[in-house]
Amino acid sequence: MKTYDVIVIGGGPAGLAAAIAAKKEGARVLLIEREARLGGILKQCIHDGFGLIRFGEKLSGPEYVERFIDEFHQMDIECSTLTFVTNIVKQKGGFVLTAVNRQGVQEYRAASMVLATGCRERTAKQVKIHGTRPSGIFTAGAAQNFVNLMGQMPARKCVVLGSGDIGLIMARRLTLEGAKVLGVYEVKPTPSGLTRNLVQCLDDYDIPLYLSHTVTRVFGTERLEAVEIAQVDAKMTPIPGTEQTLACDTLILSVGLIPENEMAEKLDVVLDPRTKGPVCDNQFMTGVPGIFSCGNALHVNDLVDYVSESGELAGAAAAMYCRRIAGTAFYSSVPLRADASLQYLVPQKINVGPGASKAVLYFRSREILQNAVLNIAIDGKTVYEKKYRNLKPPEMERLELDFEPWNIGETSDICVNIRKEGVK
């Protein structure tokens, strides 16, 4: 049985960044990837816009991730592709991982692990669309794979359900390939994608966006023939009498992403109901000592630059954890309490101790707000405020803070909220 300091599960942008960071900290690292090639979802994201924050350039997905793959190989980090993890068992001093690959059943031991397993798309059945089960219904990622990697055109006349970023990008991509996109339909009263994608993918190509609308039924036997569209009320319930039928051969679903955390659940890692990812501290360690999480497995990011950043932080922390195992006391953590004004806040805990309280916070507001203030209070006393001109739920915010000067203790009550400027 081979032994490592850190095993990273997932070879996308988060996993690559985690493996590189752990290696730079002197750890012996193994990266496990279930696909034949590294790169994750970015292999099929041929549009540009990646790397603006990290590299100051507009890169395509393959160009962005290739920079990490090159560094990964230059550092001679061990990698096992076409490898599927079947079990992880926590033992004294670490973990034993069982996997299956071309060589058969393999077992590996590690002192710490980084879960960089990404996320998956919701399907038609998960959003309760009634009707038959014809071909021609694709998640946006599946359609992207067909067009960009397989060179196959899945649609001639299509409807896009959901205004998430991948759906917006595929509306433009299919239009460029000659398909007719009848419209993008969003059940919420506000769009779900980034403003830049709304402009560049819909406005620039005269693709209509219909808010407070959803698909309620599909028609067709072998191939999709039509969809039923209805308006929805404030509770997102279809309004009787508003139904209309659109003839089409394809339905593209962009109805949300779900972090992949089946392995975390098997290890009894506590998940946050807001993010659907693990509850973690500011070093991205979960409630199970030695298990770290990052990227879209931790929470769904809208920019890959932040996926890579969380991977680096988690990988470095996992390597440092291995060095602390031999007798050094671990940090205690204090919860960060995000009130209802935030859609979510990551991390959910702050470590207490010298040098342990620096944190990169990621959060989303629950509502669209202009001239808003983020407030952090400790035991009822405001210690930090930051003003924001515009906050939108689809656009995640990042904030770097050091909590140590505020002398937080193990029983401190730390509350984070967002309010309109001038409102107490």
Side-chain angles (χ1 to χ4, degrees):
M1 183 187 303
K2 288 188 176 181
T3 300
Y4 300 87
D5 296 317
V6 180
I7 291 179
V8 178
I9 302 176
L16 288 165
I20 292 168
K23 181 74 171 182
K24 288 180 177 178
E25 290 292 333
R28 187 183 179 196
V29 182
L30 170 67
L31 184 145
I32 294 175
E33 169 55 47
R34 65 186 177 188
E35 295 188 12
R37 296 166 54 205
L38 299 175
I41 196 67
L42 293 192
K43 295 192 297 291
Q44 66 189 48
C45 298
I46 65 173
H47 54 281
D48 67 11
F50 299 91
L52 286 169
I53 295 174
R54 188 178 193 89
F55 299 115
E57 299 180 58
K58 290 175 65 175
L59 304 173
S60 69
E63 287 174 324
Y64 179 92
V65 80
E66 194 68 30
R67 298 192 179 192
F68 290 88
I69 293 173
D70 289 345
E71 185 176 7
F72 178 87
H73 290 310
Q74 288 167 7
M75 296 183 70
D76 199 26
I77 301 171
E78 289 190 55
C79 176
S80 182
T81 56
L82 287 175
T83 301
F84 296 81
V85 177
T86 59
N87 195 33
I88 303 174
V89 178
K90 182 172 175 59
Q91 296 184 345
K92 185 177 181 180
F95 305 88
V96 173
L97 181 149
T98 304
V100 178
N101 58 23
R102 287 161 289 185
Q103 285 72 48
V105 178
Q106 308 289 325
E107 284 193 338
Y108 308 101
R109 185 185 299 276
S112 65
M113 303 187 67
V114 179
L115 304 180
T117 47
C119 57
R120 64 176 182 270
E121 295 176 277
R122 285 190 175 90
T123 65
K125 295 303 177 184
Q126 288 176 299
V127 292
K128 298 179 174 59
I129 297 176
H130 299 289
T132 52
R133 298 185 64 183
S135 63
I137 301 176
F138 303 93
T139 63
Q144 189 179 59
N145 181 67
F146 270 104
V147 177
N148 294 347
L149 291 185
M150 299 172 64
Q152 300 292 326
M153 187 61 177
R156 289 190 296 270
K157 182 187 290 187
C158 71
V159 166
V160 178
L161 176 61
S163 59
D165 290 311
I166 305 177
L168 299 176
I169 288 163
M170 283 311 298
R172 176 181 63 183
R173 186 77 176 97
L174 291 169
T175 299
L176 288 170
E177 292 296 331
K180 175 62 177 177
V181 179
L182 300 176
V184 174
Y185 293 84
E186 170 60 54
V187 71
K188 298 176 183 177
T190 56
S192 298
L194 294 172
T195 301
R196 74 183 191 196
N197 286 330
L198 291 166
V199 173
Q200 295 173 5
C201 298
L202 300 189
D203 296 351
D204 289 355
Y205 291 86
D206 295 323
I207 299 171
L209 171 64
Y210 301 93
L211 300 174
S212 298
H213 283 73
T214 191
V215 173
T216 51
R217 187 177 296 273
V218 297
F219 303 95
T221 51
E222 294 185 2
R223 178 76 190 195
L224 182 70
E225 298 173 2
V227 297
E228 181 183 84
I229 305 287
Q231 296 180 33
V232 300
D233 59 21
K235 296 182 179 179
M236 291 188 282
T237 302
I239 301 172
T242 64
E243 301 88 351
Q244 59 174 314
T245 301
L246 296 179
C248 60
D249 59 30
T250 305
L251 174 63
I252 304 295
L253 301 173
S254 180
V255 289
L257 301 170
I258 304 171
E260 291 265 20
N261 279 302
E262 285 76 7
M263 279 183 280
E265 290 181 288
K266 286 183 179 179
L267 289 162
D268 296 324
V269 170
V270 175
L271 302 185
D272 184 335
R274 296 189 185 189
T275 62
K276 305 298 188 294
V279 173
C280 67
D281 63 23
N282 52 302
Q283 293 183 325
F284 295 93
M285 187 164 74
T286 70
V288 177
I291 297 291
F292 296 78
S293 180
C294 61
N296 286 340
L298 180 60
H299 64 110
V300 177
N301 295 253
D302 44 56
L303 296 177
V304 72
D305 309 72
Y306 297 141
V307 168
S308 299
E309 179 183 48
S310 69
E312 287 174 334
L313 294 170
M320 290 186 285
Y321 172 88
C322 298
R323 296 200 294 266
R324 296 207 311 267
I325 285 179
T328 305
F330 297 111
Y331 300 120
S332 58
S333 298
V334 178
L336 282 177
R337 185 164 55 85
D339 76 0
S341 62
L342 280 80
Q343 196 176 129
Y344 70 74
L345 173 68
V346 174
Q348 295 87 349
K349 296 183 289 184
I350 292 294
N351 290 328
V352 179
S357 301
K358 290 184 179 180
V360 177
L361 305 181
Y362 305 100
F363 68 91
R364 295 180 191 270
S365 63
R366 186 167 296 279
E367 300 176 349
I368 296 175
L369 292 174
Q370 294 181 334
N371 299 320
V373 177
L374 176 81
N375 177 278
I376 299 177
I378 298 179
D379 296 327
K381 180 181 179 181
T382 296
V383 296
Y384 180 85
E385 287 189 335
K386 183 176 180 179
K387 296 180 180 180
Y388 291 87
R389 181 173 296 179
N390 288 293
L391 288 176
K392 299 179 180 179
E395 299 179 4
M396 188 185 76
E397 299 291 339
R398 175 193 182 276
L399 182 62
E400 194 167 347
L401 289 175
D402 185 357
F403 285 75
E404 189 169 337
W406 299 325
N407 298 316
I408 58 174
E410 295 183 18
T411 60
S412 295
D413 175 48
I414 308 176
C415 180
V416 183
N417 68 72
I418 299 170
R419 54 179 170 74
K420 290 184 179 181
E421 189 175 3
V423 177
K424 299 296 183 181

